[in-house]
Amino acid sequence: MPAPRRPKAIPDRAPNPFKPGAPPPPRIRIQDPTPAVDGGAWPAKRCVGDVVRVEADIFRDGHEVLKAVVRHRRVGARKWSEAPLERFDRHLGGDRWAGEFTVEGQGRHEFTIQAWVDFWGSWRDELTRKAAFGQDDLSGELSEGEVLLRGAAEQANGPAKQLIDRALKTLSEPKAPQEAKVDAALGEELDAAVEACQSRLEGTTHAPNLEIEVDRVLARFGSWYELFPRSFGGFTGVAKQIPTLKELGFDVLYLPPIHPIGEKNRKGRNNALLATKKDPGSPWAIGHHAHGGHDAIHPDLGTLADFDAMVAAAKAHDIEIALDFAIQCSADHPWLTEHPEWFHHRPDGTLKYAENPPKKYQDIYNVNWNCDDWQGLWSALLDILKYWVGRGVTVFRVDNPHTKPLGFWEWAIAEVRKDDPDVIFLAEAFTRRKIMQALAKLGFNQSYTYFTWKNTAWELREYVAELAHGPEADYFRPNFFANTPDILTDYLQHGGPAGFAIRAVLAATLSPTYGIYSGFEHFEGTAREPNSEEYLNSEKYESWKRDLDGPLLPFIARLNHARRAHPCLQRLDNVSFLGTESDALLAYAKRTGDDCIIVVANVDPHHPQEGTVIVPFESGLPPSFTVEDLLSDPTHPAVYDWRLGRNFVRLDPAHQVAHVFVVRAA
Amino acid sequence: MPAPRRPKAIPDRAPNPFKPGAPPPPRIRIQDPTPAVDGGAWPAKRCVGDVVRVEADIFRDGHEVLKAVVRHRRVGARKWSEAPLERFDRHLGGDRWAGEFTVEGQGRHEFTIQAWVDFWGSWRDELTRKAAFGQDDLSGELSEGEVLLRGAAEQANGPAKQLIDRALKTLSEPKAPQEAKVDAALGEELDAAVEACQSRLEGTTHAPNLEIEVDRVLARFGSWYELFPRSFGGFTGVAKQIPTLKELGFDVLYLPPIHPIGEKNRKGRNNALLATKKDPGSPWAIGHHAHGGHDAIHPDLGTLADFDAMVAAAKAHDIEIALDFAIQCSADHPWLTEHPEWFHHRPDGTLKYAENPPKKYQDIYNVNWNCDDWQGLWSALLDILKYWVGRGVTVFRVDNPHTKPLGFWEWAIAEVRKDDPDVIFLAEAFTRRKIMQALAKLGFNQSYTYFTWKNTAWELREYVAELAHGPEADYFRPNFFANTPDILTDYLQHGGPAGFAIRAVLAATLSPTYGIYSGFEHFEGTAREPNSEEYLNSEKYESWKRDLDGPLLPFIARLNHARRAHPCLQRLDNVSFLGTESDALLAYAKRTGDDCIIVVANVDPHHPQEGTVIVPFESGLPPSFTVEDLLSDPTHPAVYDWRLGRNFVRLDPAHQVAHVFVVRAA
């Protein structure tokens, strides 16, 4: 065989594409950091005091030891804080790192991940393995360690520098035995000293930063009560109820629109097309030619001073007033004449009322978001929000936000919260999930949910698990309303008092924020007609005489007090469902630190149901423990001995629809 | 009660933050388009002729009808092509749209999504509903339609314009009866005409564009054979085997490194620390002071002309040569003296060989990727790749890419494929999943996998389902090697001939690309020592005398021919696993168009196993059909009557390890 010829020159010598002297591209990769909503397009949501768990994939080619931290700060702050990340799935051959920090203040925060090569740690690891194996000659290795230590010494000072210098002296002493040098190099104190001062070589930082919107705790946890002020004697009457609402354990008092109601085309009782003289009209038909629009108060409810007094009374009792923000105008709204350019017109020039063919809403005019003066319209709407914030309103329940441009909400919520970060927006959107998610992502602090129609155990398990543990957990905060003036569910129509009690327990213990609309505690459950979710003689079209005397209120108060006493009920992310061996029993545990609640509910309002609650080993509970039912009479509490594994439960809705057990040590 | 005062002026009038005359922000949202690897950070991979299914969430506030298209083109092309998108989960209340297009040419493609409001369609929908409901006066609605039609008429020409003008005439005729106007407005031909020419109002395009790397089909589908040329008489001997390899159905012939092997510190038989004079050394110890490095050929294998002749012979038989690209140098490599600056040095200036403490690889020197002249090193490595491409090499099997900087591969693969988009890179990385994924994302066209160690039915189901249907499906193309010179699995050591046959069936029918290393067909299964995956007397350290005469080859040829004859075996994304009522039987169907294969394998090489193959209704197969076993004698094929539901199967590994059924119409 002839001697091989080595090719003389490689053809197509590739031109060097890099800048002379440039460092090599980073070798560490940082990927998929969380929390990140849509890859970081939107801020994740947290509340003041929350521990934020941060994760990321961090890896590099080769075998060097890596180190990583999360860097975090308030947006606008100069200095970063740092917390360490650890690779937590090493035993699975994974590259996922995690760490955590606490968000202390309200407002927008940002974080990023930084990783670097721990050359000292890599070298130390190598030397440890070689020394353990008994390698004879370690002089080459030790000479490398000397170089690393010299580098560290340059950065160090104080006791750290003394430690490093001492080790360096041993390593550089030609006559010192190898064993002494190895011992000196592997000392744990030395390790800590070098670690603290070594440079972050190959330091790589994830870009862009990811954001977290930190709200006050009311954004996550609160008990809401909704009432029509006209049924309680206007603002002055409502103010008188505040101490009772406080005793009942409510945090937010939500009022449907308080503005003047149109006279033209007013709807009558039960949504009749023609109103009689006595019919007060729907509060959602906002605006009256004489009394004003969204910035005015209905004369029947009182004066602005009465309103202010009600807000002050609420504030004195730590209750917040939530107003309804409904962007629509009655046929009588001043804007129809002052700003006709903000509304839809037919080609013949006439104004166009709202429709959902074949339904017509002659009493309501929607604004034309695509009008030429959209900027004027947006500004006027923002002015309204800011006006009420100026009068002490801190919460808005936004009516049907999904029929208004998403971009408007993004802008308006940011504008309001720029000056008043305390203000909380609740999205009343019952629509397709993606749109509800989009509203939450763009800034709504809370959202109405599908809870209203989730009645069976499996539906509730599935839905709540999605909210608590799926991607929505980072940005979609549920507000579980058990009923609303618009929604009298089939379940409440046919479940009787037990049905109301069950829904109260579920709403109040599944979701950290929940609410009821007055009438709930009176078991009001008659629909206007079959297959309708409208109330017969709906309060939307009438004035009632109401008082806080419903028979279910003491039960609800007990729930509210349990919610307040038990931090674990103030979160959603800690819920885990338990097996019950029954289709009709729903059981779940919530645990935060030492505080643990186990709820068992019979979702069948008509029949006694029995089964077991299976407490798993992973619950972390001891083999046996005591549970005390917070729904039982506190002077003679019902107490049971429970254990890991199966615990028998029987719930007869005629007597008791659910247990809300607090777990006590055995 | 005193008359309410309307507040005179809203305080804090918000300044208008928008540019005067600017249009309102877009109301349509386009989210989560797919395919998108890491949200679009990396291109998705497809092959020429593939149908690309595109999806996105598309929605807008309100009730207007939306339309959407995917726009796609080759990167660099001026014109976009379009294909329609349809909302496919409307019945579930979803907002997910999908459409598809075919990628015809090789290279980088890009696509985006465009959506707009179909005001004509929205109006038509409203009029249809109102007319069906029997609304009396539709004059307002018809006047709106007239405006829309006039807009369309301005864009239209030809027959479309005539249609629109005719409808306009009817609509604007004061004496025409309303019914005639409605009929004219709702005509289907008119609808098509208006649709074709209406402007894309509120048109919104997703940014940035998403990329697709389109490879030739060999990147997805190919049968690989690996041999050591020194065991087959060098390049000339290998060239003689090409026709046989072709008959056996192989597409790629992969050769371990063909370069000169170092003499200094050469390893002997069974990885002995000292080689004898006769030991040829490991081909992965690349480089010899006299014969050259990565751009040279081992003198024992032949001349450059012999190499070229082998490549030409392969090409003539439609077989491609895959070279090994291993970035490491023997103790004898010319670079160690020519470019000592590219290697690791101890502080005392000596070169540092490879180690994985306590293991030492004195015969191998790794390059120092962090050296000052990293640019020179990168360029030299690229030159080597380009040199072999210039000599007709179209496939590289890259040795241990995970111990080299990811950024290097990203750059080098792009540089090679810029000029030669035919070149395919296979990543031989057996490491943590995230790193294997990262290599695939950055440009490797194929990857070694964990298949080698997935032996039970459940492991295979889980792993293959992840590759076929998980996020990796978009960028990670598996190459299922059944054995390699480095990996003699426990299963092959103890499974006997049946074990080899089972692994061949699984590799060849689960993955569109698979491979074997010669010795497989001889059932070579003796390990060097217990608990080792190294072969006893490994060919890595010896020269053998081999021929393509292994007893399993006819069986493998049958598999290869089935793979070539059946398009459904050339894909991974079409696999669905079938129930078997047996832990030891693995069954799966692959279907592409009318072509359908059902594989049943007994993964237990030691015992007969029986069970059923459950063909589900969703398979789309008729209630009863015939299956023919492609592994049976083609002159007397085994044929069975099968049906939807359970089909009994018994497989005795002593006689038959698997069925590869082609489904024939009943």
Side-chain angles (χ1 to χ4, degrees):
Chain A
M1 204 174 270
R5 275 172 302 124
R6 198 174 152 208
K8 286 223 179 61
I10 288 181
D12 304 333
R13 175 108 216 159
N16 181 343
F18 306 101
K19 227 176 105 182
R27 295 172 72 166
I28 296 175
R29 301 257 161 145
I30 303 172
Q31 288 181 173
D32 193 19
T34 57
V37 177
D38 288 358
W42 308 101
K45 295 198 180 96
R46 293 294 186 273
C47 286
V48 171
D50 277 354
V51 173
V52 180
R53 179 185 168 92
V54 170
E55 293 190 12
D57 293 338
I58 303 175
F59 52 85
R60 177 188 183 275
D61 61 282
H63 306 286
E64 307 295 341
V65 175
L66 302 186
K67 286 222 181 295
V69 291
V70 51
R71 293 162 65 78
H72 58 98
R73 65 181 175 189
R74 245 184 116 98
V75 168
R78 212 178 49 82
K79 273 192 69 174
W80 291 97
S81 300
E82 288 190 349
L85 297 185
E86 296 290 339
R87 185 172 152 208
F88 66 85
D89 58 357
R90 186 188 300 268
H91 62 295
L92 299 171
D95 289 286
R96 194 86 183 147
W97 296 58
E100 58 185 40
F101 62 91
T102 302
V103 277
E104 308 285 2
Q106 224 167 284
R108 193 65 62 98
H109 288 62
E110 60 187 340
F111 72 92
T112 186
I113 311 276
Q114 191 172 80
W116 64 94
V117 178
D118 178 12
F119 283 104
W120 166 257
S122 305
W123 174 85
R124 196 172 179 271
D125 178 56
E126 188 186 320
L127 186 68
T128 307
R129 286 200 275 166
K130 287 178 175 175
F133 180 72
Q135 182 174 318
D136 278 349
D137 179 9
L138 291 167
S139 55
E141 286 74 7
L142 288 166
S143 69
E144 288 175 322
E146 225 181 298
V147 172
L148 289 168
L149 285 177
R150 279 196 211 293
E154 277 172 32
Q155 314 281 333
N157 46 40
K161 184 155 168 54
Q162 286 171 18
L163 268 167
I164 297 170
D165 284 344
R166 203 182 316 148
L168 267 172
K169 207 177 152 199
T170 309
L171 262 71
S172 56
E173 168 56 53
K175 286 182 192 148
Q178 177 169 298
E179 206 174 309
K181 291 185 178 185
V182 170
D183 283 352
L186 295 183
E188 300 220 343
E189 283 188 330
L190 177 68
D191 186 36
V194 175
E195 269 225 351
C197 64
Q198 75 173 333
S199 319
R200 296 185 173 178
L201 293 167
E202 291 194 31
T204 305
T205 304
H206 183 269
N209 299 335
L210 293 160
E211 293 195 320
I212 298 176
E213 179 71 15
V214 182
D215 286 325
R216 59 202 182 103
V217 172
L218 188 74
R220 183 186 73 230
F221 167 62
S223 308
W224 288 47
Y225 190 81
E226 174 178 4
L227 59 78
F228 283 76
R230 68 185 178 196
S231 297
F232 280 83
F235 299 138
T236 310
V238 170
K240 285 188 193 136
Q241 302 288 0
I242 298 275
T244 310
L245 285 170
K246 182 70 196 173
E247 273 167 38
L248 291 169
F250 288 105
D251 305 294
V252 178
L253 172 59
Y254 153 46
L255 310 179
I258 57 171
H259 315 299
I261 296 172
E263 280 178 21
K264 198 172 154 190
N265 299 333
R266 178 180 287 184
K267 295 284 178 88
R269 289 181 59 174
N270 286 311
N271 204 26
L273 211 57
L274 291 177
T276 68
K277 281 255 157 153
K278 287 193 326 204
D279 285 335
S282 160
W284 283 275
I286 295 168
H288 183 276
H289 57 280
H291 302 310
H294 287 76
D295 50 3
I297 278 175
H298 195 295
D300 289 354
L301 298 179
T303 63
L304 204 51
D306 297 333
F307 176 83
D308 292 345
M310 176 188 69
V311 172
K315 198 174 177 135
H317 287 82
D318 246 345
I319 286 182
E320 307 202 23
I321 299 293
L323 283 199
D324 200 306
F325 186 56
I327 305 180
Q328 58 212 8
C329 296
S330 78
D332 228 9
H333 195 289
W335 278 2
L336 291 186
T337 47
E338 291 168 13
H339 291 286
E341 71 277 15
W342 291 350
F343 295 86
H344 293 275
H345 296 261
R346 299 260 179 224
D348 65 3
T350 56
L351 284 172
K352 210 177 152 182
Y353 48 76
E355 305 182 86
N356 185 14
K359 286 194 208 164
K360 291 161 177 288
Y361 306 103
Q362 294 93 336
D363 59 335
I364 286 185
Y365 288 73
N366 285 322
V367 300
N368 178 6
W369 294 98
N370 282 356
C371 70
D372 287 342
D373 186 34
W374 64 274
Q375 302 187 1
L377 172 64
W378 285 32
S379 296
L381 291 167
L382 177 59
D383 287 344
I384 291 167
L385 290 167
K386 291 191 154 215
Y387 170 71
W388 292 110
V389 170
R391 296 221 85 87
V393 172
T394 45
V395 183
F396 290 98
R397 176 271 198 194
V398 176
D399 191 75
N400 277 327
H402 56 294
T403 58
K404 284 91 191 169
L406 297 163
F408 168 73
W409 297 120
E410 191 179 344
W411 171 78
I413 293 172
E415 285 293 316
V416 169
R417 287 167 53 89
K418 202 164 62 183
D419 300 328
D420 298 279
D422 275 352
V423 180
I424 289 168
F425 288 86
L426 163 63
E428 188 255 357
F430 292 106
T431 183
R432 303 182 326 264
R433 190 127 180 201
K434 293 272 168 65
I435 296 180
M436 292 170 68
Q437 291 170 341
L439 289 163
K441 286 174 191 170
L442 65 79
F444 278 93
N445 310 83
Q446 287 189 356
S447 308
Y448 280 66
T449 70
Y450 301 151
F451 165 73
T452 330
W453 301 280
K454 304 283 181 188
N455 297 308
T456 64
W458 75 263
E459 284 172 316
L460 287 159
R461 262 195 303 270
E462 181 189 72
Y463 185 57
V464 173
E466 284 172 12
L467 296 180
H469 308 305
E472 284 163 308
D474 273 331
Y475 63 87
F476 186 95
R477 293 201 192 97
N479 186 331
F480 277 10
F481 257 87
N483 69 336
T484 83
D486 289 316
I487 308 174
L488 174 65
T489 61
D490 197 64
Y491 190 92
L492 293 179
Q493 290 176 36
H494 301 109
F500 282 83
I502 292 166
R503 297 300 293 176
V505 170
L506 294 173
T509 61
L510 279 170
S511 177
T513 292
Y514 89 108
I516 57 170
Y517 146 61
S518 55
F520 188 85
E521 63 266 29
H522 294 283
F523 311 124
E524 286 168 13
T526 309
R528 200 169 69 200
E529 67 256 343
N531 297 319
S532 166
E533 292 191 333
E534 289 288 338
Y535 287 84
L536 179 68
N537 303 327
S538 168
E539 203 174 353
K540 286 194 289 188
Y541 311 104
E542 304 179 20
S543 280
W544 288 31
K545 280 231 171 305
R546 284 200 184 271
D547 218 333
L548 291 175
D549 55 3
L552 194 62
L553 279 180
F555 183 81
I556 287 168
R558 215 166 270 181
L559 284 169
N560 285 346
H561 295 145
R563 287 162 50 79
R564 200 160 284 177
H566 292 280
C568 69
L569 290 176
Q570 299 168 14
R571 308 196 67 89
L572 180 63
D573 54 4
N574 58 351
V575 67
S576 61
F577 289 94
L578 308 177
T580 61
E581 300 182 299
S582 159
D583 286 348
L585 293 183
L586 179 69
Y588 41 97
K590 285 191 167 188
R591 183 170 185 166
T592 297
D594 288 336
D595 184 39
C596 181
I597 294 278
I598 295 176
V599 177
V600 203
N602 175 4
V603 299
D604 172 0
H606 302 296
H607 308 95
Q609 297 284 352
E610 55 184 54
T612 64
V613 173
I614 304 173
V615 181
F617 177 76
E618 311 87 79
S619 66
L621 292 175
S624 64
F625 50 90
T626 301
V627 295
E628 178 186 323
D629 192 345
L630 297 176
L631 296 181
S632 60
D633 180 351
T635 58
H636 300 86
V639 172
Y640 305 87
D641 288 327
W642 273 32
R643 63 183 65 81
L644 293 188
R646 288 179 162 82
N647 299 279
F648 178 78
V649 169
R650 184 176 197 276
L651 287 166
D652 181 348
H655 305 294
Q656 177 157 27
V657 297
H659 297 295
V660 175
F661 286 131
V662 58
V663 175
R664 313 258 186 228
Chain B
M1 203 173 270
R5 273 171 302 121
R6 199 174 151 206
K8 285 223 180 62
I10 289 182
D12 303 332
R13 175 108 214 159
N16 180 341
F18 305 101
K19 226 176 106 183
R27 295 172 73 167
I28 296 175
R29 300 259 161 143
I30 303 173
Q31 289 181 174
D32 193 20
T34 56
V37 177
D38 288 359
W42 307 101
K45 294 197 181 98
R46 293 294 185 274
C47 286
V48 171
D50 277 356
V51 173
V52 180
R53 180 185 168 92
V54 170
E55 293 190 12
D57 292 338
I58 304 175
F59 53 85
R60 176 189 182 274
D61 61 283
H63 305 286
E64 306 294 342
V65 175
L66 303 186
K67 286 221 180 295
V69 291
V70 51
R71 292 162 65 78
H72 57 98
R73 67 181 174 188
R74 245 185 114 97
V75 168
R78 211 178 49 82
K79 274 192 66 174
W80 291 97
S81 301
E82 287 189 351
L85 298 185
E86 296 290 340
R87 185 172 151 209
F88 66 86
D89 58 356
R90 187 189 300 268
H91 63 296
L92 299 172
D95 289 285
R96 193 87 184 147
W97 296 58
E100 58 185 38
F101 63 91
T102 302
V103 278
E104 308 286 1
Q106 224 167 284
R108 193 65 63 97
H109 287 62
E110 60 186 341
F111 72 92
T112 185
I113 313 274
Q114 190 173 81
W116 63 93
V117 178
D118 178 11
F119 283 105
W120 166 257
S122 305
W123 173 85
R124 197 172 178 271
D125 178 56
E126 187 186 322
L127 186 68
T128 307
R129 286 200 273 167
K130 288 178 174 175
F133 181 72
Q135 182 173 319
D136 279 349
D137 180 9
L138 292 166
S139 55
E141 286 75 7
L142 288 165
S143 69
E144 288 176 319
E146 226 181 297
V147 172
L148 290 167
L149 285 177
R150 278 195 212 292
E154 278 173 33
Q155 314 281 332
N157 47 39
K161 182 155 170 54
Q162 288 170 18
L163 268 167
I164 296 170
D165 283 344
R166 202 181 317 148
L168 268 173
K169 208 177 149 195
T170 311
L171 262 72
S172 56
E173 169 56 53
K175 286 180 192 152
Q178 178 168 300
E179 206 175 308
K181 291 185 178 185
V182 170
D183 283 353
L186 296 183
E188 300 221 342
E189 283 189 330
L190 177 69
D191 186 36
V194 176
E195 268 226 350
C197 63
Q198 75 173 333
S199 319
R200 296 185 173 177
L201 294 167
E202 291 194 29
T204 305
T205 303
H206 183 268
N209 298 334
L210 293 160
E211 294 196 318
I212 299 176
E213 180 71 14
V214 182
D215 286 324
R216 60 200 182 106
V217 173
L218 189 73
R220 183 187 72 230
F221 167 62
S223 308
W224 288 48
Y225 190 82
E226 173 177 4
L227 59 76
F228 283 76
R230 70 184 177 197
S231 297
F232 280 82
F235 299 138
T236 310
V238 170
K240 285 187 194 139
Q241 303 288 0
I242 298 275
T244 310
L245 285 170
K246 182 69 196 174
E247 272 168 39
L248 291 169
F250 288 104
D251 305 294
V252 177
L253 172 58
Y254 153 47
L255 310 178
I258 58 170
H259 315 299
I261 296 172
E263 279 178 22
K264 198 172 155 190
N265 298 334
R266 177 179 289 184
K267 294 284 178 87
R269 291 181 60 173
N270 286 309
N271 204 24
L273 209 59
L274 291 178
T276 68
K277 279 256 157 154
K278 284 190 330 198
D279 286 335
S282 160
W284 283 275
I286 295 170
H288 182 277
H289 58 280
H291 301 312
H294 286 76
D295 50 2
I297 277 175
H298 195 295
D300 291 353
L301 298 179
T303 64
L304 203 52
D306 296 334
F307 177 81
D308 292 345
M310 176 189 69
V311 171
K315 196 172 179 139
H317 286 83
D318 246 345
I319 285 181
E320 307 200 24
I321 299 293
L323 283 199
D324 199 306
F325 186 55
I327 306 181
Q328 58 212 8
C329 295
S330 78
D332 227 7
H333 195 289
W335 279 2
L336 291 187
T337 47
E338 291 168 15
H339 291 288
E341 71 277 14
W342 291 349
F343 295 86
H344 294 274
H345 296 262
R346 299 258 180 227
D348 65 3
T350 57
L351 285 172
K352 208 177 153 182
Y353 48 76
E355 304 182 86
N356 184 15
K359 286 196 209 164
K360 292 162 177 285
Y361 305 103
Q362 293 95 336
D363 59 336
I364 287 184
Y365 287 73
N366 285 322
V367 300
N368 178 5
W369 295 98
N370 282 355
C371 70
D372 288 341
D373 185 34
W374 64 273
Q375 303 187 0
L377 172 64
W378 284 32
S379 296
L381 292 167
L382 177 60
D383 287 344
I384 290 167
L385 289 167
K386 290 192 154 217
Y387 171 71
W388 291 110
V389 170
R391 297 220 84 89
V393 173
T394 46
V395 183
F396 290 98
R397 175 270 198 195
V398 175
D399 192 75
N400 279 325
H402 56 293
T403 58
K404 286 89 191 172
L406 296 163
F408 169 73
W409 297 119
E410 190 178 346
W411 171 79
I413 293 173
E415 286 293 316
V416 169
R417 286 167 54 91
K418 201 164 63 184
D419 300 329
D420 298 279
D422 276 352
V423 180
I424 289 168
F425 288 85
L426 163 63
E428 188 256 356
F430 294 106
T431 181
R432 287 150 19 230
R433 191 129 180 199
K434 292 272 169 63
I435 296 179
M436 292 171 68
Q437 291 171 341
L439 290 163
K441 287 175 191 168
L442 66 80
F444 278 93
N445 309 83
Q446 290 188 355
S447 308
Y448 279 66
T449 70
Y450 301 152
F451 165 72
T452 332
W453 301 279
K454 303 284 180 186
N455 296 308
T456 64
W458 75 264
E459 283 173 317
L460 287 160
R461 263 195 303 269
E462 180 188 72
Y463 185 57
V464 173
E466 284 172 11
L467 295 180
H469 308 305
E472 284 162 309
D474 273 330
Y475 64 88
F476 186 95
R477 294 201 192 95
N479 186 333
F480 277 10
F481 258 87
N483 69 335
T484 83
D486 289 315
I487 308 175
L488 174 65
T489 62
D490 198 63
Y491 189 91
L492 293 179
Q493 292 176 35
H494 301 109
F500 283 83
I502 292 165
R503 298 300 293 176
V505 170
L506 295 172
T509 62
L510 279 170
S511 177
T513 292
Y514 89 108
I516 57 171
Y517 146 62
S518 56
F520 188 85
E521 64 266 28
H522 294 282
F523 312 124
E524 287 168 11
T526 309
R528 198 169 69 199
E529 68 254 344
N531 298 319
S532 166
E533 292 191 333
E534 289 287 337
Y535 287 84
L536 179 66
N537 303 326
S538 168
E539 204 175 351
K540 287 193 287 187
Y541 310 103
E542 305 179 21
S543 279
W544 288 32
K545 279 229 170 307
R546 283 200 184 272
D547 217 333
L548 291 175
D549 55 1
L552 194 62
L553 279 180
F555 183 81
I556 286 168
R558 215 167 269 181
L559 285 169
N560 284 346
H561 295 143
R563 286 162 49 80
R564 200 161 283 178
H566 292 281
C568 70
L569 290 177
Q570 299 168 16
R571 308 197 67 89
L572 180 64
D573 54 5
N574 58 351
V575 69
S576 61
F577 288 93
L578 308 177
T580 60
E581 302 181 297
S582 159
D583 286 349
L585 294 183
L586 179 68
Y588 42 96
K590 285 191 167 188
R591 183 171 187 168
T592 296
D594 288 337
D595 185 39
C596 182
I597 294 277
I598 295 176
V599 177
V600 202
N602 176 3
V603 299
D604 171 1
H606 301 297
H607 308 94
Q609 297 283 352
E610 55 184 52
T612 63
V613 173
I614 304 173
V615 182
F617 177 76
E618 310 87 78
S619 67
L621 292 175
S624 64
F625 50 91
T626 302
V627 295
E628 179 186 323
D629 192 346
L630 297 175
L631 295 181
S632 60
D633 180 351
T635 60
H636 299 87
V639 173
Y640 304 87
D641 288 327
W642 271 33
R643 62 183 64 81
L644 294 189
R646 288 180 162 81
N647 299 277
F648 178 78
V649 169
R650 183 174 199 277
L651 287 165
D652 180 349
H655 305 293
Q656 177 157 26
V657 297
H659 297 295
V660 175
F661 287 131
V662 59
V663 176
R664 313 260 186 226

